[in-house]
Structures are given as C-alpha cells and as structure tokens.
Amino acid sequence: MAELTLRAVGRAHPDTVWFRYTSFRQWPAWSPQIVRVETRDERIGPGARGTIRSFLGVRAAFLVESVDDERRTWTWRVRLGPLRMRLTHEVRPHRDGTETRLGMQGLAPVLAAYAPLARLALRRLLTP
C-alpha cells in the first residue's frame, strides 16, 4: 500500500471550504471528475455511503469513515471495482486564506493516476 499527500493553499475562507467538502451537492462544482453524487445523505457523516458518477460513465462506491467538524477533518474510502483508495482531508486556516491537505492510500499506480485530478480539484475547492 502506497501513500501520497497533496497540499494546496487558496484564498477561500476555511468555512467556505469546509462547507464545500461537507455538502455532497457541492462536490461537482469544485471537483471536475465528479458529475454527480448519488447518496441518501445531504452531508458527509460517519457511515454515509453512495456512488460517485464521473465522466465517461465511471461509477465509484464510497463510504465515509469519520468526520470531525471541530478539527475540520474527514476520511473516506472509495472503490472502483477491485481498486480501492482511502482519502483523508484536512482544512486549516492559513495567512493567505485556507490550506487543505489530502492524504491518499492505495496502490501506487492508482495514486499516481488520480493525483493530477486531485490537484486540480483542490485548487478549485480553494477558489473564492
């Protein structure tokens, strides 16, 4: 199992960034690889599960493991067939607005393939 951490800083306020993370309806607005989120939940929370629909009709199942609103951290697992990733997100105030970190665990080729999309999504997440 490989690990990779991405970090980004942007001008959006930490409250805005956290809201964009915690509201499933917001995900397609900042994450270009997500076309739609199918879930019964409005907001991320432990045990929330569903399916992410991506471009080209790709569907990936997810399960939110943990959420800490006070520390603005959350962890979830994503599965696409036999491929699995565990992702941990953090949102922190920064002198320039907000810093976010994304820790990823999975097979090295999967992380390498996903990293460019994740970097783009983080930049968009942090845009005011």
Side-chain angles (χ1 to χ4, degrees):
M1 186 79 68
E3 294 186 21
L4 177 64
T5 300
L6 304 178
R7 176 187 168 274
V9 174
R11 295 192 179 274
H13 190 276
D15 292 341
T16 299
V17 174
W18 186 242
F19 172 74
R20 290 174 179 169
Y21 262 146
T22 60
S23 172
F24 288 121
R25 290 183 184 179
Q26 293 291 313
W27 290 10
W30 57 267
S31 185
Q33 67 270 27
I34 297 176
V35 174
R36 183 171 64 234
V37 180
E38 298 169 349
T39 181
R40 293 180 184 198
D41 300 291
E42 293 288 320
R43 185 180 189 283
I44 65 170
R49 60 180 62 232
T51 303
I52 298 168
R53 287 208 168 225
S54 191
F55 48 84
L56 302 176
V58 175
R59 294 170 50 121
F62 70 85
L63 170 65
V64 177
E65 293 182 338
S66 65
V67 177
D68 185 332
D69 285 303
E70 188 174 313
R71 295 181 60 218
R72 292 187 178 137
T73 62
W74 68 287
T75 301
W76 61 317
R77 292 186 184 269
V78 180
R79 180 178 44 84
L80 176 61
L83 305 176
R84 300 177 189 320
M85 282 196 310
R86 184 172 191 249
L87 302 108
T88 300
H89 300 270
E90 296 179 56
V91 174
R92 297 180 179 174
H94 187 275
R95 69 179 175 277
D96 294 325
T98 300
E99 174 185 27
T100 187
R101 293 182 187 186
L102 167 59
M104 301 184 293
Q105 297 174 322
L107 296 175
V110 174
L111 300 184
Y114 183 67
L117 290 172
R119 282 187 183 97
L120 176 58
L122 291 177
R123 283 195 299 271
R124 290 174 54 152
L125 175 71
L126 294 166
T127 300

